[in-house]
Amino acid sequence: QACNYNPESNFDDGSCDYFPCVNCNDAIDIFISEYCEGTGNNKGVEFYNPTSETIDLSNYQLQRYSNGCEAATDWVDLIGSIPPQGTHVLINGQIEDLDLGGGAISPACDPAMQALADQLDNPYPAPVYFNGDDALVLVKNGDTVVDIFGKVGEDPGMAWTDDEANGFIDVGDGATWLTINRTLRRKPDVISGVIENPIVFNTLAEYDVFEVNDWSGLGWHNLYCED
């Protein structure tokens, strides 16, 4: 069974608030369960294992497709493993401010966020330097797509939005930016990743939206499957 609980919501008697769940026979691989696009380099991605088996992450790689590129611009090999109904948290690995010249500073990721990591990302350029307009692709064994965040080959402007009439991209009409300065958590009824590049990336179809720099959900994920 794919069951999980919210460690932030224990009852007074110390028991845990378990969520309902049933067998998830169609849940066969990991997927992106949380996307944190915070201020500066406060950025991270959480992966969730909905299966009943421990999954070795050495076969998996997260790729970034920056600013509408159709080929991966950078990538990181995942390490370790994910237990059944467990998570793996990848966080931006920059640990100090970097002087870029001309008065520009690339800030370190917040140590409080990095403390939640199972893995820190590579030095720049690396996937967890995304900034709202980059697609992310999780692959297995080099070329098998396991999940896609965004739309590969599309530059949405500042971010993907809630503007259905314009294909959910930013055309400067006042639409709400959803993939920049936001935390996105996969909806509890999503049991598998997106394996084909979408025609449009409708963020709200699979993700719930939270405020910037909200890391309270990293390290656990709620999943509810229906037969």
Side-chain angles (χ1 to χ4, degrees):
Q1 285 188 321
C3 306
N4 212 341
Y5 67 93
N6 182 350
E8 301 293 333
S9 59
N10 291 345
F11 294 117
D12 291 339
D13 63 0
S15 62
C16 290
D17 179 14
Y18 279 87
F19 290 81
C21 56
V22 296
N23 288 329
C24 300
N25 295 325
D26 294 330
I28 60 174
D29 215 332
I30 67 173
F31 58 83
I32 296 170
S33 50
E34 187 155 344
Y35 164 97
C36 298
E37 206 293 312
T39 55
N41 286 318
N42 297 335
K43 304 175 193 297
V45 179
E46 178 191 86
F47 308 94
Y48 180 71
N49 175 9
T51 78
S52 60
E53 303 292 334
T54 296
I55 292 182
D56 179 5
L57 291 174
S58 64
N59 298 318
Y60 294 81
Q61 182 181 80
L62 182 67
Q63 303 173 343
R64 178 171 65 143
Y65 291 71
S66 180
N67 301 330
C69 286
E70 296 186 358
T73 50
D74 41 69
W75 48 86
V76 60
D77 295 326
L78 301 186
I79 59 175
S81 61
I82 307 185
Q85 293 88 55
T87 62
H88 183 82
V89 178
L90 175 70
I91 299 295
N92 185 285
Q94 189 169 316
I95 60 174
E96 59 184 17
D97 294 349
L98 298 178
D99 187 348
L100 303 179
I105 300 294
S106 175
C109 180
D110 191 322
M113 187 180 195
Q114 289 183 329
L116 300 172
D118 296 297
Q119 178 180 350
L120 295 180
D121 201 0
N122 298 331
Y124 180 86
V128 190
Y129 278 90
F130 50 74
N131 58 3
D133 60 356
D134 303 326
L136 302 174
V137 179
L138 178 64
V139 298
K140 179 171 67 173
N141 298 326
D143 58 4
T144 300
V145 175
V146 176
D147 201 4
I148 301 172
F149 178 90
K151 179 181 177 181
V152 173
E154 178 175 80
D155 185 345
M158 288 296 295
W160 281 281
T161 75
D162 60 354
D163 186 357
E164 182 177 6
N166 288 297
F168 302 103
I169 64 172
D170 175 28
V171 297
D173 63 348
T176 301
W177 296 341
L178 297 174
T179 56
I180 187 172
N181 293 327
R182 300 280 189 176
T183 285
L184 304 176
R185 295 178 190 142
R186 213 70 176 258
K187 293 180 181 293
D189 59 350
V190 175
I191 64 171
S192 60
V194 175
I195 61 173
E196 294 185 0
N197 201 29
I199 297 173
V200 295
F201 178 52
N202 178 5
T203 308
L204 298 177
E206 293 203 355
Y207 290 87
D208 293 321
V209 181
F210 298 85
E211 294 300 317
V212 64
N213 292 335
D214 180 353
W215 313 318
S216 61
L218 288 176
W220 59 272
H221 179 66
N222 294 328
L223 179 67
Y224 173 62
C225 305
E226 294 181 345
D227 287 334

